[in-house]
Amino acid sequence: MTTPLNIHNPRKSFPGGANPLMRSEYVVQGDRWRIALLSDSLVRVEWSESGVFEDHCTQMVLNRDFEDPGNIHMRRFDQDGLLVIDTPSIHLTYDRRPFTKEGLQITAKGMFGFCDTWHFGDDQHANLKGTARTLDGVDGTTELGVGVNSTDGWAVLDDSASNVLVEHVDEEHNDMKAGIGGVSVESRSHPETDLYFFGYGHRYQEAVQDFYRLTGPTPLLPRFALGNWWSRYYKYSADEYLSLMDRFAEEGLPFTTSVIDMDWHITDVDRSYGSGWTGYTWNKELFPDHEAFLKALHDRGLHTTLNVHPRDGVRAFEDAYPKIADAMGINQEQGDPVEFDLTNPKFVDAYFDMHHDMEKEGVDFWWIDWQQGGVTKQVGLDPLWMLNHLHYLDSSRDGLWPLTFSRYAGPGSHRYPVGFSGDTIVSWQSLAFQPYFTATASNIGYGWWSHDIGGHVSGIRDEELEARWYQLGVFSPINRLHSSASPFNGKEPWNFHEPVRSAMVEVLRLRQELLPYLYTMNWRNASEGKELVEPMYWQYPERGEAYDVPNEYFFGSELLVAPITEAMDKETMRAKAKVWLPQGEWFDFFTGRRYRADAETGMGFHAFRRVDEIPVFAKAGGIVPLQSDGSSNDAGNPEAMDVLVFPGADGAFTIREDDGQYAPGGDLSRMNVADTEIRFDSKAGILTIAKASGAEGVVPAKRIWTVVLRGVAPTEVLLDGRSPEHVSYDQKTLSLTVRVPATATDADVVLTFPKGLDIAEDPKDDDLFSICMDAQIAYPLKEGAYYALKESGIRALPKLSTMSYESTDEQGLSHRANLGEGVIGALEEVLLRS
């Protein structure tokens, strides 16, 4: 039997609980209409011809009581025959009749525009969008659904067609159509209009946080899910697959998750059974001992997921058929198939019982690959949503850490991570869409997308494209490499030439190193409702420049990323990304170069980078914890850590770690955690790594710390008042590095800089020389540009566009060459940064 979803004890079912009833003091209703405030900015409006209103949980909504009545300041009165509801954030007027544009309107206050008012039925033309079900077959852009944020200050989510979650106490008389245990997912008993109005103005993060309060939080992911995933649609044998994992290990390429695509099961079946797309029986020719195979992956530090296409149910050729047919009362001798039917509780129990048997053999979680539309035997029930819902709840049984891997099935799907975005076309257009697609999904709270990094099908081979896709992957929520079965499409780095191969190796190791940072952001998302990936306009909603860089985003609390998604300019041997830096000081994450955005409008430019470089920036005072070893599969709490610190401002960062044991019901307050706070006092020149606080035994008893201050000039440093033994300076990255020997984690580590910390001198001459050296242009143009800039600095920029060089070919014809826009742009970036 599967674990029951219990609405009366919701912590057994959903992190954060389920409280579907609204507070009566904030509800105003008539015979066929009902209006309720859930916060000062969040309004529910309903119209029901029957006069019956929905008070159950729905597929999208779990909580209509935010348990904080102090956040609602409602005034209700009548004016000229209209009902008026007013709060500090919204102003609603309603004529108490069937909803019309003329009769129902809500204004989002403080927007100072002509479109700040929603009239019932209005098109959400200024909505900043949410996400989409899949990128299957998409080569470039696709239409996105609505999110809860809009430049007009309001957004509307329609929950009218959503099924409801209904608890049944007497199962003997339970006519539930779809469910798990004592709760069914049923069609609404009465049609109604059921809308949620988000009037948050430009308080974008707050809107998403209240969306989480309404629909439930994003669960905490297990730590291993944040490492690198290996995935390929390929007919591996067990020996081939294990040999591949061993070669990855030999080459120092870390992976934490093995994704086994559909060829793990029998696919060549008799035509009488239909296709071999659905399967639950291991292919013994490829995997003669699948339990030993799964154990071998675990021994290598890898967690495993199997691809399943469940549409065709369980047929007579499957090993699981006798057991599941018996449970369903099907005559085995006749070989009738067990039909896939999530509206049948008996099938649901038997279906999960089959999966449990396979999990006992070593399967960690499931890749639910549903591609067959949205129709079940129950009106309005999407089989994809139901699969996600049931699989996630089932995966949490017996204290297991729940995890699923499936496509998006509408608002509220963030409760069932991780998301699979579908079969990506191999093209620059696909790559260029993914950063925007990922960041925009945050507007509907969907923060854990996993893309086919590198592309899956079609397209052409382009090694530069693959390098840039790898770089996007390391700064994506989930980094899952994927490719088709084509012998020419494998994503192993050794299939590529230099410098692409080395670039791939470095970013895979960097992703593993980032685990402490990523896992802390994972905790932040689950406990505070803050996204790992945020569009730039979330933090700078009144700056038009923030909306003009759709492919740029914040990556956690400390970093800003602008992935390169276009091919390089052949003259500069570099590719560019459009960047906007908000007002303040920023540092190149890799090189320590400082960028000063003094103007209130910030600083916009194109960042030019070689194929092995990525435009990533850290704010002044930024602190990024890393694990020192990025070459192993180990996803545990590390014994050796690096701390990257960026100067120019005070900073603080608290590393969150736990013991890897999931709390019942996802109650984060019951998990064993430890925090390590890192504080940087820029003016005093003191960096403190505080002793770990929290549960005992979570962090190692001792840790080796390596502190890297990036973007600083060489200076004196003391460790706990003494000169440390291991201090070095790297001119290339402008980094002062201090290695702290193994130190007890129950004691502070204090670095002081008696002479202070100065920003490193900008090596702009070296960088200008490097750009000119690489430029594939005439030597006189190189020389003219370099010496003009060295002599006059930024004042020479206007002159560059007028520079030319004349040459004569063998036929005596004259040719004129000019400095290209790419070369000028690359030089301009260096000059503008400070």
Side-chain angles (χ1 to χ4, degrees):
M1 293 290 291
T2 51
T3 303
L5 183 157
N6 190 328
I7 295 299
H8 288 315
N9 192 358
R11 290 196 179 279
K12 291 185 177 180
S13 310
F14 298 109
N19 300 293
L21 296 178
M22 299 178 292
R23 288 183 177 265
S24 59
E25 61 265 40
Y26 302 117
V27 176
V28 184
Q29 76 179 78
D31 290 341
R32 289 178 292 173
W33 57 269
R34 184 167 68 167
I35 297 173
L37 291 182
L38 307 186
S39 77
D40 272 353
S41 303
L42 180 54
V43 187
R44 186 189 189 195
V45 296
E46 298 169 275
W47 176 271
S48 171
E49 286 290 343
S50 67
V52 180
F53 302 102
E54 190 56 70
D55 286 325
H56 290 100
C57 294
T58 70
Q59 290 174 267
M60 181 178 83
V61 174
L62 299 183
N63 304 301
R64 301 188 186 97
D65 179 358
F66 289 2
E67 299 181 331
D68 182 14
N71 73 342
I72 301 178
H73 307 84
M74 181 179 78
R75 288 194 309 122
R76 171 199 168 184
F77 54 93
D78 289 304
Q79 187 176 69
D80 298 329
L82 299 175
L83 169 68
V84 179
I85 296 176
D86 189 81
T87 79
S89 298
I90 62 96
H91 185 81
L92 177 150
T93 61
Y94 175 46
D95 63 3
R96 296 182 175 90
R97 297 175 182 176
F99 294 160
T100 63
K101 286 180 179 291
E102 298 78 15
L104 175 62
Q105 63 182 25
I106 310 177
T107 298
K109 294 182 178 180
M111 296 310 300
F112 307 106
F114 296 104
C115 300
D116 59 357
T117 299
W118 168 73
H119 304 83
F120 175 76
D122 277 354
D123 177 53
Q124 301 191 58
H125 65 277
N127 194 280
L128 288 164
K129 299 298 183 181
T131 193
R133 187 180 182 103
T134 180
L135 294 179
D136 280 343
V138 175
D139 189 5
T141 64
T142 192
E143 182 65 27
L144 303 179
V146 298
V148 299
N149 290 322
S150 165
T151 54
D152 282 344
W154 58 264
V156 177
L157 295 184
D158 189 346
D159 200 37
S160 305
S162 186
N163 279 233
V164 297
L165 307 183
V166 179
E167 184 177 31
H168 293 272
V169 178
D170 183 5
E171 292 196 18
E172 183 179 347
H173 299 93
N174 176 11
D175 61 348
M176 67 178 171
K177 300 299 183 182
I180 187 168
V183 168
S184 63
V185 181
E186 301 180 359
S187 301
R188 296 194 182 210
S189 60
H190 49 278
E192 69 167 321
T193 298
D194 190 0
L195 306 178
Y196 291 84
F197 176 89
F198 289 75
Y200 287 80
H202 289 168
R203 306 189 315 275
Y204 297 140
Q205 185 177 88
E206 183 183 339
V208 172
Q209 287 174 316
D210 274 1
F211 173 74
Y212 282 146
R213 297 175 79 183
L214 178 72
T215 60
T218 300
L220 189 71
L221 296 185
R223 192 179 180 98
F224 75 82
L226 302 177
N228 298 307
W229 297 27
W230 177 258
S231 176
R232 189 179 184 189
Y233 179 37
Y234 188 83
K235 231 170 195 177
Y236 288 110
S237 70
D239 289 342
E240 286 176 319
Y241 199 96
L242 293 175
S243 294
L244 176 62
M245 297 301 109
D246 289 341
R247 180 164 181 187
F248 283 147
E250 291 167 5
E251 301 216 2
L253 297 172
F255 288 92
T256 59
T257 304
S258 287
V259 183
I260 317 295
D261 214 319
M262 62 175 289
D263 285 305
W264 67 270
H265 65 73
I266 296 172
T267 57
D268 185 12
V269 302
D270 190 284
R271 287 188 176 183
S272 64
Y273 293 116
S275 78
W277 210 248
T278 299
Y280 298 98
T281 302
W282 283 86
N283 185 329
K284 298 298 183 183
E285 293 182 4
L286 298 177
F287 301 94
D289 187 346
H290 62 272
E291 291 188 61
F293 168 70
L294 294 172
K295 182 179 183 302
L297 289 175
H298 291 154
D299 291 343
R300 288 163 171 79
L302 292 155
H303 291 73
T304 60
T305 181
L306 303 185
N307 174 279
V308 287
H309 295 84
R311 184 195 68 173
D312 292 334
V314 182
R315 293 162 289 176
F317 65 85
E318 302 279 16
D319 289 347
Y321 178 75
K323 183 177 180 181
I324 196 170
D326 183 62
M328 295 296 296
I330 291 175
N331 189 324
Q332 298 179 39
E333 293 183 1
Q334 294 181 355
D336 293 335
V338 178
E339 180 184 3
F340 177 80
D341 183 8
L342 291 178
T343 68
N344 183 341
K346 285 178 63 178
F347 173 78
V348 169
D349 281 339
Y351 171 83
F352 280 108
D353 189 49
M354 174 180 64
H355 284 77
H356 298 167
D357 289 341
M358 301 175 74
E359 290 169 19
K360 292 173 185 175
E361 297 174 341
V363 179
D364 293 306
F365 64 106
W366 299 94
W367 175 8
I368 307 157
D369 203 350
W370 182 266
Q371 304 172 59
Q372 290 80 28
V375 179
T376 62
K377 293 181 179 180
Q378 182 170 314
V379 175
L381 180 63
D382 181 354
L384 173 60
W385 181 90
M386 196 63 186
L387 280 164
N388 294 349
H389 174 72
L390 295 179
H391 267 280
Y392 191 83
L393 295 183
D394 180 74
S395 70
S396 67
R397 72 189 188 284
D398 301 329
L400 297 174
W401 199 308
L403 187 66
T404 51
F405 181 38
S406 184
R407 287 174 173 81
Y408 176 78
S413 291
H414 62 272
R415 298 192 302 261
Y416 317 116
V418 166
F420 166 51
S421 68
D423 298 335
T424 302
I425 304 295
V426 182
S427 70
W428 282 102
Q429 292 83 358
S430 292
L431 172 62
F433 184 58
Q434 284 189 2
Y436 166 76
F437 179 82
T438 307
T440 304
S442 295
N443 289 322
I444 197 66
Y446 200 71
W448 293 113
W449 267 126
S450 166
H451 303 306
D452 287 353
I453 296 300
H456 175 46
V457 294
S458 302
I460 61 172
R461 182 179 178 88
D462 186 326
E463 296 202 2
E464 182 192 356
L465 169 63
E466 294 300 327
R468 295 306 186 190
W469 224 321
Y470 263 63
Q471 291 166 359
L472 171 64
V474 74
F475 291 103
S476 290
I478 302 293
N479 188 30
R480 177 181 53 85
L481 307 185
H482 190 66
S483 61
S484 70
S486 168
F488 306 107
N489 197 18
K491 296 299 189 294
E492 297 90 343
W494 52 79
N495 290 333
F496 299 85
H497 301 89
E498 294 292 358
V500 167
R501 174 175 177 170
S502 292
M504 290 175 162
V505 169
E506 289 306 310
V507 293
L508 287 175
R509 291 175 181 168
L510 174 59
R511 178 69 183 201
Q512 187 75 359
E513 292 167 3
L514 280 165
L515 279 177
Y517 179 72
L518 291 167
Y519 197 63
T520 300
M521 295 301 110
N522 176 30
W523 263 96
R524 187 181 76 145
N525 180 221
S527 61
E528 301 177 36
K530 295 181 178 179
E531 301 298 323
L532 171 66
V533 173
E534 290 184 4
M536 294 301 294
Y537 51 77
W538 275 30
Q539 293 191 31
Y540 298 91
E542 308 309 327
R543 294 249 59 94
E545 297 84 356
Y547 298 84
D548 291 337
V549 282
N551 274 19
E552 180 180 317
Y553 51 87
F554 285 104
F555 191 69
S557 60
E558 310 297 293
L559 300 177
L560 184 158
V561 181
I564 289 176
T565 60
E566 62 180 61
M568 72 168 59
D569 169 60
K570 299 302 182 183
E571 285 192 345
T572 63
M573 300 299 290
R574 290 161 168 79
K576 71 178 186 294
K578 185 178 180 181
V579 174
W580 174 69
L581 296 179
Q583 185 178 32
E585 287 188 322
W586 299 84
F587 293 82
D588 185 291
F589 178 74
F590 299 99
T591 69
R593 271 60 173 170
R594 179 176 61 161
Y595 291 72
R596 287 182 53 186
D598 292 333
E600 186 178 345
T601 56
M603 179 170 66
F605 59 94
H606 283 101
F608 286 78
R609 298 293 185 268
R610 297 186 180 98
V611 74
D612 58 349
E613 299 171 332
I614 319 169
V616 180
F617 304 89
K619 63 183 182 181
I623 298 173
V624 181
L626 307 169
Q627 63 184 46
S628 299
D629 183 7
S631 63
S632 78
N633 297 346
D634 186 5
N637 299 331
E639 293 185 354
M641 292 187 67
D642 295 354
V643 179
L644 266 61
V645 182
F646 296 87
D650 294 346
F653 189 94
T654 299
I655 305 169
R656 168 61 58 91
E657 298 168 281
D658 58 52
D659 63 358
Q661 300 299 310
Y662 198 66
D667 184 354
L668 300 183
S669 67
R670 298 173 63 185
M671 293 188 66
N672 293 321
V673 302
D675 291 339
T676 303
E677 184 183 11
I678 304 171
R679 301 185 299 271
F680 177 53
D681 187 327
S682 177
K683 185 175 182 180
I686 300 174
L687 176 75
T688 303
I689 303 173
K691 64 181 180 181
S693 63
E696 294 183 3
V698 171
V699 302
K702 289 187 175 183
R703 252 185 185 145
I704 297 171
W705 296 96
T706 300
V707 177
V708 180
L709 295 110
R710 185 150 289 169
V712 304
T715 189
E716 180 185 358
V717 57
L718 299 177
L719 169 60
D720 296 328
R722 302 177 182 176
S723 296
E725 293 184 16
H726 305 285
V727 180
S728 62
Y729 188 82
D730 179 27
Q731 186 62 45
K732 183 179 179 181
T733 62
L734 308 178
S735 297
L736 176 67
T737 299
V738 184
R739 185 175 179 273
V740 181
T743 303
T745 51
D746 62 358
D748 292 352
V749 173
V750 181
L751 295 179
T752 57
F753 307 92
K755 298 179 181 178
L757 278 171
D758 293 328
I759 305 297
E761 183 178 349
D762 187 357
K764 61 178 183 295
D765 286 350
D766 293 341
D767 294 346
L768 293 171
F769 183 87
S770 177
I771 292 168
C772 292
M773 172 63 80
D774 291 345
Q776 309 292 292
I777 58 175
Y779 286 110
L781 283 176
K782 290 175 183 269
E783 295 163 2
Y786 176 67
Y787 289 118
L789 293 172
K790 189 171 182 180
E791 177 181 350
S792 302
I794 199 167
R795 294 190 303 275
L797 273 178
K799 182 179 179 181
L800 298 187
S801 60
T802 65
M803 286 185 175
S804 63
Y805 169 70
E806 289 192 11
S807 61
T808 304
D809 63 20
E810 294 178 354
Q811 287 74 38
L813 298 176
S814 178
H815 299 275
R816 180 184 296 273
N818 298 90
L819 277 179
E821 290 183 3
V823 175
I824 296 174
L827 295 169
E828 183 180 48
E829 178 194 354
V830 174
L831 295 168
L832 288 177
R833 67 191 182 203
S834 60

